[in-house]
Amino acid sequence: MTQIRTRLERGRGALGPALSLVHTGRAATRALLTAELGVTRATAGAVAAELEALGLIRVDTRPTGPSGAQGRPSHRLDVAPSGPVALAAQVHADGFRAALVGLGGEIVATAPGSMTVHADPAHVLAAVVEAGAELLSASGRVCVGAGLAVPSAVAEPEGTALNPLHLAWPAGAPVRQVFASQIARVGIAGPDGDPVPSFIGNDVNVAALAEHRHGAGRDAQHLLVVASGHRGVGGALVLDGRLHTGSSGLALEVGHLTVLPDGRPCHCGSRGCLDVEADPLAFLEAAGRAPGPEGSLLQQSIDLLRREYDDASDSSDSSDSSVSSDPSVRDAAHTLIDRLGRGLAGLVNVLNPDRILLGGLHRYLLDADPERLRAVVADHSLWGRSGGVPLLACALDHNSLVGAAELAWQPVLDDPLALLGG
């Protein structure tokens, strides 16, 4: 009896690690799960069966093996197709987006919201939570928690927005508290009937977490992510699988690296920071374009880049010479690439990452002229071209939403039975 109890306890202790392995795609079969956990085949089977009973994964006991394969294929492990979801949301300068995100980082449903973000966080967060509640009602799925991504440094553990420079919120706004109160008001409850737990994080920090678990940052030990969203520039660092947020959540405010000492004034009080020299507004101004009334500044900038470079590419493959490049757009792209490259080189010199991912507008600047950006980074780096760091585009659409959901999923990954075992 003691041996049976010990085996059962060992298996239950492996539930969280096993779920994390399936969640991140590192254990797609029971054989891989057995190897990764370092347990017996029987224990791995029992763990997988319990996770399936909790409605978290699906075990395919009769998978089809590749043609000509020897032996019986191992049981396949997948995320349960109708399993629980996390409510995820992102607030930005032009409004918000709400989503439902399942295990594996899968976005199940999403709803954008365009609105002016008032000084009172409750105004936009009420709309965020109501949109999320509608998505949940339509899906009929269980909610395990709610995560929110905001364009501000976030004080830990209290969840206050310390410097929301591109929102009208006051410094120190108690965003997590307001978010939680809106969830309770709308009545978004978990399996136990209580309001689901709420979490908040900086938008680029949580995007980096999502990319490390599900995107272009997998297997990186020292992952640096730099991105320009709707306004401003942010950065994040993942070290050995964990976000580095500093002593109080303020680490990696890369937007306030100076790249033009005599540049335009920044909200932080300095001049020529990446935040104001390499974001969508800076790109539109460099291209001689006035921000339009429709769509976000980010989308306007992306559309302008795509039209220019896609049209030029199409023209080069045909005899149609009616499509000509716009020098002002190309010059603007090169200007921002040079500014971004100098900032990235400074970060390489300080942090020595093994991979850099670029998101938002920067992802499209990399696509526009990757060799130029890599050359600028190499020319300004202490290690030069011989020590070049790979520059890659972020792979996930809406990675801040996926990352916000990761915050909500983490307690389940830590202890599935505690939250879903009844």
Side-chain angles (χ1 to χ4, degrees):
M1 181 64 70
T2 301
Q3 288 181 336
I4 294 174
R5 186 180 299 112
T6 301
R7 188 163 58 245
L8 180 61
E9 290 172 352
R10 187 185 305 121
R12 288 192 169 180
L15 284 175
L19 184 60
S20 294
L21 288 167
V22 177
H23 174 61
T24 56
R26 289 179 291 158
T29 66
R30 195 174 69 178
L32 287 171
L33 184 66
T34 301
E36 289 284 346
L37 291 177
V39 297
T40 66
R41 191 164 170 243
T43 297
V47 167
E50 185 139 23
L51 291 175
E52 186 173 38
L54 290 171
L56 294 168
I57 73 170
R58 179 176 60 182
V59 180
D60 183 356
T61 60
R62 303 182 66 181
T64 302
S67 178
Q70 296 291 322
R72 186 174 65 183
S74 178
H75 295 178
R76 180 162 185 81
L77 309 179
D78 296 300
V79 170
S82 299
V85 293
L87 169 60
Q90 179 181 12
V91 174
H92 51 73
D94 301 301
F96 69 88
R97 182 176 288 272
L100 304 182
V101 183
L103 281 168
E106 177 195 6
I107 295 180
V108 175
T110 181
S114 179
M115 66 185 301
T116 300
V117 180
H118 292 180
D120 182 1
H123 180 262
V124 67
L125 294 182
V128 164
V129 172
E130 287 164 7
E134 290 182 10
L135 292 176
L136 281 166
S137 177
S139 74
R141 293 167 78 160
V142 172
C143 184
V144 299
L148 175 68
V150 295
S152 169
V154 175
E156 298 170 347
E158 57 268 33
T160 55
L162 293 179
N163 60 343
L165 299 179
H166 301 292
L167 299 178
W169 294 348
V175 178
R176 181 188 291 166
Q177 178 183 334
V178 175
F179 188 42
S181 68
Q182 292 298 326
I183 288 169
R185 177 185 67 83
V186 172
I188 298 177
D192 59 2
D194 292 332
V196 296
S198 56
F199 305 86
I200 177 176
N202 169 265
D203 51 4
V204 182
N205 274 352
V206 297
L209 184 62
E211 290 287 343
H212 188 266
R213 291 183 177 180
H214 307 291
R218 285 182 177 179
D219 303 322
Q221 293 299 307
H222 300 82
L223 175 67
L224 174 64
V225 176
V226 176
S228 176
H230 293 251
R231 288 295 304 274
V233 176
L237 185 66
V238 179
L239 299 175
D240 295 322
R242 297 178 63 86
L243 275 172
H244 175 71
T245 57
S247 61
S248 59
L250 291 173
L252 271 294
E253 284 289 318
V254 306
H256 301 290
L257 286 174
T258 298
V259 291
L260 292 176
D262 297 323
R264 70 192 77 193
C266 180
H267 312 278
C268 70
S270 187
R271 301 185 71 90
C273 296
L274 273 178
D275 210 56
V276 292
E277 301 291 358
D279 78 338
L281 181 60
F283 174 72
L284 292 172
E285 290 179 349
R289 303 297 204 274
E294 299 296 328
S296 69
L297 297 180
L298 174 61
Q299 194 58 53
Q300 291 175 47
S301 299
I302 291 171
D303 290 344
L304 193 60
L305 269 174
R306 279 176 164 171
R307 278 198 303 272
E308 172 59 21
Y309 283 89
D310 289 352
D311 285 352
S313 176
D314 292 343
S315 174
S316 67
D317 294 334
S318 69
S319 57
D320 181 6
S321 60
S322 63
V323 178
S324 59
S325 65
D326 184 334
S328 65
V329 175
R330 293 199 169 235
D331 288 347
H334 291 162
T335 295
L336 260 72
I337 284 171
D338 291 348
R339 295 172 183 171
L340 175 61
R342 286 195 290 272
L344 292 178
L347 291 167
V348 168
N349 291 339
V350 172
L351 301 173
N352 189 26
D354 56 31
R355 196 177 311 175
I356 298 175
L357 302 185
L358 300 177
L361 175 62
H362 298 164
R363 170 181 177 178
Y364 295 91
L365 290 172
L366 174 64
D367 288 343
D369 198 337
E371 293 310 312
R372 184 184 185 101
L373 181 56
R374 292 186 176 106
V376 174
V377 175
D379 289 345
H380 290 81
S381 168
L382 290 174
W383 292 276
R385 296 179 188 275
S386 63
V389 180
L391 298 178
L392 303 172
C394 287
L396 302 176
D397 292 330
H398 304 306
N399 52 16
S400 289
L401 283 174
V402 176
E406 289 296 312
L407 300 180
W409 271 114
Q410 192 59 54
V412 182
L413 298 175
D414 291 338
D415 192 348
L417 274 177
L419 276 83
L420 298 172

